[in-house]
Amino acid sequence: MRVAVTGTPGTGKTTATELLASRLADAATDADGESAPDLEVIHLNRVLEEEGLYTEVDADRESKVADLEALSEWLAGRDDAVVESHLAHHFDADRVVVLRCHPETLEKRLLERGETAAKAEENAESEALDVILSEAVEEHGLESVYEVDTTDRDPDEVAAALEAVVAGEREPSAGEVDFMGYLT
């Protein structure tokens, strides 16, 4: 099984999936001694950096332009995985979790981690417009997409929500979060 964890930068993907990795390791053997699914957590942005899987650097956005074909080839055969990145929904996955965050909170988080005001604002607007959610639904269908609002949740709660998706204990939920009011 491959689970994609995606969302606008600043929604908490890396933190939540690092906690999920710990939860999955702890659950590797249940009370009956049966093995739980062994899922590797792959931080795709780190792979992009370490393997040089980008085509250019966008100077205006201060970011690397991912080589999606090269990343897809790198992911080939890595089927038992949780793939984390704002790009994760562009690749094959059985389930796609889109982490969401209120645009004002998102913008504040991005500024606190040193992003430019323009980049923080652009990401906040993208979040309000459901850009990543729309792409995920278009690519994978409503039946495979799960939304998790991280705005008022601590990272442990977000990791628990991810674990519920991995375990099949949560129903698909695309379209439940609405931040359009941010734009008006």
Side-chain angles (χ1 to χ4, degrees), residues 5-17 45 84-87 89 97-111 113 115 120 123-124 126-128 130-133 146-159 162 177 179:
V5 177
T6 190
T8 306
T11 55
K13 297 174 301 296
T14 303
T15 302
T17 54
N45 292 356
E84 173 270 322
S85 169
H86 67 288
L87 302 170
H89 61 284
V97 182
V98 181
L99 299 188
R100 306 294 308 276
C101 182
H102 191 280
E104 289 174 358
T105 303
L106 182 76
E107 190 170 1
K108 181 181 174 192
R109 288 179 185 177
L110 292 171
L111 290 170
R113 73 180 197 192
E115 297 294 350
N123 281 302
S126 292
E127 182 69 358
D130 300 335
V131 170
I132 289 182
L133 175 67
Y146 305 74
E147 254 182 318
V148 176
D149 186 350
T150 67
T151 307
D152 295 319
R153 287 187 168 149
D154 68 40
D156 284 321
E157 292 174 295
V158 176
L162 293 177
V177 179
F179 297 132

Side-chain angles (χ1 to χ4, degrees), residues 1 5-6 8-9 22 24 28-29 41-42 51 55 60 89 91 97 103 111 115 119 128 149 155 162-163 171 174:
M1 172 176 50
V5 177
T6 190
T8 306
S22 296
L24 293 174
T29 304
V41 175
I42 298 170
E51 302 291 327
T55 57
D60 292 336
H89 61 284
F91 305 100
V97 182
L111 290 170
E115 297 294 350
K119 193 169 185 176
D149 186 350
L162 293 177
E163 188 175 27
E171 294 296 318

Side-chain angles (χ1 to χ4, degrees), residues 159-173:
L162 293 177
E163 188 175 27
V165 171
V166 168
E169 298 169 352
R170 186 175 171 153
E171 294 296 318
S173 57

Side-chain angles (χ1 to χ4, degrees), residues 71-92:
L71 285 167
S72 182
E73 289 173 14
W74 188 93
L75 283 168
R78 292 176 169 89
D79 295 328
D80 292 327
V82 174
V83 179
E84 173 270 322
S85 169
H86 67 288
L87 302 170
H89 61 284
H90 291 293
F91 305 100
D92 290 338

Side-chain angles (χ1 to χ4, degrees), residues 33-53:
E34 296 179 25
S35 293
D38 186 21
L39 299 176
E40 172 187 14
V41 175
I42 298 170
H43 299 285
L44 204 54
N45 292 356
R46 292 178 190 162
V47 171
L48 181 142
E49 284 282 334
E50 292 167 4
E51 302 291 327
L53 301 178

